[in-house]
Amino acid sequence: MNADQYKEIGNTKYKAGQYREAVALYTKAIELDGGKTPSYFTNRAAAYFMLNNMESAIEDCKAATSLDPNLMKAYQRAAKCCLQLGDLQECRKQNFEVLRLDPKEQVALEDLKTVDRVEKEIKIARELLQKSEWHKALAHVEIALKFASLSDAVKLLKARALLGLNKPQEVITLTSDIIRNDANSAEALYLRGLALYQTNNVPAALKMLQSALRSDPDNMDFRTAYKRAQTFEAKKKEGNDAFSAGNYEEAINIYSECLQLEPNTSSLSSTLYCNRAAAYLKLGKHQEAIDDCTKTIEIDPNYEKAYLRRAAASMKMEKWDDAIRDYEKASQMNEDGEADHLLREAKLEKKKSLRKDYYKILDIPKDADEYQIKKAYKKGALKWHPDKNNETPEAHEKADQMFKDIGEAYTVLSDPTKKRRYDSGDDLEDMESGHGMSSADFSSMFSHVFSGGGGMGGGFGGGFGGMPGGMPRGRRGGGGFPF
């Protein structure tokens, strides 16, 4: 086949959208022709344009105009490529060549207006970025990108605006394309490093900032960012080491210092608040832990660990509904996580909280042993015995109720089977817990506990008597209880 036949087959491939095949066929035609026919170059430039290979398209257009300085199509095509790349000066130059051939050519005249507008939008965007007006800057950058969609310079302006808006993942995606085309783009490496830093991937950020410094060793912005990331990473590690060593107060102080270093970096701050909450939890400072977890969630609503830690702190403070809400949220975020089990526990604790809390009534921990339970019963029963609290009818009524509650608590917690059922959340009505017992029944139980089998002295005998000033001192080993 001759060169023209290759060109015709290339045209067929181009119309079918097979641009790579078209490029190969036009290249064959140019080789056979010796690069003497301008149309072969302009056709290949069109195929390159469709492949977003603007640089090669511009080279072909210039090759065509070197062969035919009056080939308007080549100037027009080159101008379009230059605009896409954001090479506004070269775009103007190519359009001026079109107007040299036809001063009234409307496309060239419109292109020059577009170039002026893009320049204006870029200028305004730069000014707004200097003022940290990120949203406004981004709006102007987007307008410029409608016309200069392949301009690395305009993309980098967009990356700066997105960084200011705390959208690091978008910056990482955006700069990946630039670095893929130019691995030594110092600005792209720098902005990508800052974005990685914002996502709390500090080791990767340091590597990227090092690469930026290698490309531009004297850039003070690059150097400052690298040192800041180094300082932060070292300080955060110091806090984590303190936490791991059980030095929770020290860890809290260090995490607080880190927060002062990076008060406005969202992902870093959310991690630090969550870490500090863990330290507060270890120290039993549950409200402080809740506050820090809340700050974490305000920054990052999808931070699962923050919901789990806030729920744990709420459980300690017996804020069952708050804990249930957070465990439900964590469960939705990670169906295979630990939240489901914890959610069941929280619901059980809420159910148990609606009953009388026998541990609170006896003022004992939930892991109290038999001796502690009996001791607490004796102490409470002595304090609230109705015969000892008869100054007024109201005082006697309150004491009578407390005396019954203490008796109920002892009835359940002193029986291993009933205690186990109570701890598992069984209803009190199903446990023969003392409901329905009379005052006489509780008094009888009181006498039984204190009579010979308890290690707290002798029996009650004649009761509390009625002597002024309280109970009479009974005879040791006889009828009265020694106080």
Side-chain angles (χ1 to χ4, degrees):
M1 288 192 299
N2 59 32
D4 205 47
Q5 288 173 321
Y6 275 108
K7 186 200 78 169
E8 291 301 324
I9 299 173
N11 290 345
T12 301
K13 295 292 185 181
Y14 181 91
K15 291 175 183 177
Q18 297 173 339
Y19 303 118
R20 295 189 186 282
E21 291 84 346
V23 166
L25 290 162
Y26 293 141
T27 300
K28 188 68 175 177
I30 291 169
E31 289 172 352
L32 290 173
D33 178 65
K36 299 175 183 177
T37 305
S39 63
Y40 295 171
F41 286 103
T42 55
N43 284 11
R44 190 170 69 172
Y48 277 135
F49 182 87
M50 298 306 294
L51 292 170
N52 279 337
N53 187 347
M54 302 302 166
E55 292 85 355
S56 296
I58 292 170
E59 286 182 15
D60 275 0
C61 288
K62 289 182 176 181
T65 56
S66 69
L67 294 170
D68 182 358
N70 295 321
L71 187 57
M72 183 182 292
K73 183 189 294 185
Y75 292 120
Q76 290 174 323
R77 200 157 282 168
K80 187 181 294 186
C81 293
C82 290
L83 181 58
Q84 286 288 310
L85 291 173
D87 189 347
L88 303 182
Q89 184 176 348
E90 186 63 23
C91 182
R92 276 200 182 92
K93 180 179 177 182
Q94 295 299 318
N95 277 303
F96 286 147
E97 290 295 334
V98 174
L99 294 173
R100 174 180 62 80
L101 298 172
D102 182 358
K104 296 182 179 180
E105 211 286 320
Q106 287 300 309
V107 174
L109 292 170
E110 289 299 321
D111 277 356
L112 288 173
K113 290 180 182 178
T114 299
V115 169
D116 290 340
R117 183 181 181 187
V118 171
E119 277 188 336
K120 180 181 177 182
E121 297 296 339
I122 291 173
K123 180 182 178 182
I124 294 172
R126 291 185 188 279
E127 292 171 352
L128 290 168
L129 288 173
Q130 288 293 324
K131 299 175 183 178
S132 301
E133 296 185 30
W134 314 116
H135 282 289
K136 291 181 180 179
L138 183 60
H140 287 280
V141 169
E142 294 288 13
I143 293 172
L145 281 172
K146 287 180 180 178
F147 306 103
S149 62
L150 301 178
S151 169
D152 285 350
V154 181
K155 287 180 182 178
L156 289 170
L157 291 178
K158 181 177 181 178
R160 284 189 172 273
L162 291 171
L163 270 177
L165 293 171
N166 283 323
K167 296 183 177 181
Q169 289 297 339
E170 293 184 41
V171 176
I172 291 169
T173 300
L174 190 60
T175 52
S176 292
D177 294 336
I178 299 172
I179 294 169
R180 191 178 299 115
N181 295 328
D182 181 5
N184 295 315
S185 173
E187 180 78 1
L189 292 166
Y190 167 66
L191 293 175
R192 184 177 176 84
L194 293 182
L196 289 165
Y197 186 55
Q198 279 193 0
T199 63
N200 200 25
N201 190 349
V202 184
L206 287 168
K207 289 181 181 179
M208 201 60 58
L209 292 170
Q210 275 185 322
S211 297
L213 277 169
R214 280 195 292 269
S215 297
D216 187 357
D218 299 324
N219 190 300
M220 289 306 299
D221 287 340
F222 297 0
R223 192 170 297 280
T224 300
Y226 181 75
K227 287 183 178 178
R228 188 179 72 190
Q230 267 189 324
T231 301
F232 177 85
E233 183 69 356
K235 183 63 71 173
K236 187 180 75 170
K237 182 180 182 302
E238 187 181 341
N240 292 343
D241 289 344
F243 182 92
S244 298
N247 300 324
Y248 304 120
E249 286 285 4
E250 182 183 353
I252 288 169
N253 292 334
I254 294 171
Y255 291 141
S256 299
E257 289 178 30
C258 288
L259 282 165
Q260 291 176 354
L261 287 172
E262 293 295 343
N264 301 314
T265 306
S266 60
S267 183
L268 294 174
S269 298
S270 61
T271 300
L272 289 168
Y273 280 125
C274 200
N275 286 0
R276 194 169 70 176
Y280 278 133
L281 268 175
K282 292 289 188 181
L283 292 174
K285 297 183 177 181
H286 303 125
Q287 187 56 55
E288 289 87 342
I290 288 173
D291 292 342
D292 270 3
C293 289
T294 299
K295 289 173 184 175
T296 300
I297 292 166
E298 287 172 353
I299 297 168
D300 182 359
N302 297 314
Y303 205 127
E304 180 192 0
K305 192 176 290 185
Y307 289 100
L308 292 172
R309 285 183 180 162
R310 189 168 70 175
S314 295
M315 290 284 286
K316 293 292 186 181
M317 298 183 72
E318 299 184 1
K319 296 180 177 181
W320 313 121
D321 289 333
D322 290 348
I324 288 169
R325 276 194 298 271
D326 281 342
Y327 282 139
E328 285 177 340
K329 181 68 175 179
S331 180
Q332 292 168 6
M333 296 169 68
N334 185 359
E335 295 180 358
D336 298 327
E338 61 180 317
D340 288 345
H341 168 68
L342 296 171
L343 176 59
R344 288 192 293 271
E345 283 189 4
K347 288 180 176 179
L348 175 60
E349 290 300 324
K350 180 183 178 182
K351 177 184 175 183
K352 288 159 64 175
S353 73
L354 300 176
R355 312 167 305 169
K356 290 181 180 178
D357 188 336
Y358 290 152
Y359 292 101
K360 279 189 176 179
I361 290 171
L362 292 181
D363 192 22
I364 55 175
K366 292 186 178 181
D367 59 353
D369 59 23
E370 182 181 354
Y371 172 77
Q372 290 173 300
I373 294 168
K374 192 169 187 178
K375 181 179 179 181
Y377 167 72
K378 289 180 177 181
K379 179 180 178 182
L382 286 173
K383 177 180 178 181
W384 292 105
H385 196 287
D387 288 353
K388 191 180 176 185
N389 295 271
N390 53 11
E391 296 85 357
T392 64
E394 292 79 10
H396 186 274
E397 183 179 352
K398 178 181 178 181
D400 187 58
Q401 184 58 55
M402 287 296 298
F403 187 70
K404 289 177 181 178
D405 288 346
I406 290 167
E408 275 185 32
Y410 181 69
T411 299
V412 171
L413 299 183
S414 63
D415 184 314
T417 301
K418 291 179 181 179
K419 182 178 185 297
R420 185 169 57 253
R421 291 180 61 191
Y422 175 80
D423 289 342
S424 68
D426 283 2
D427 291 331
L428 300 179
E429 289 79 1
D430 299 332
M431 295 171 53
E432 300 178 0
S433 61
H435 287 290
M437 290 176 65
S438 67
S439 296
D441 294 328
F442 286 116
S443 293
S444 176
M445 183 177 70
F446 177 88
S447 297
H448 175 74
V449 172
F450 280 95
S451 63
M456 289 285 287
F460 235 87
F464 281 99
M467 293 179 63
M471 294 192 307
R473 181 176 296 274
R475 297 186 306 276
R476 291 186 183 272
F481 184 82
F483 279 81

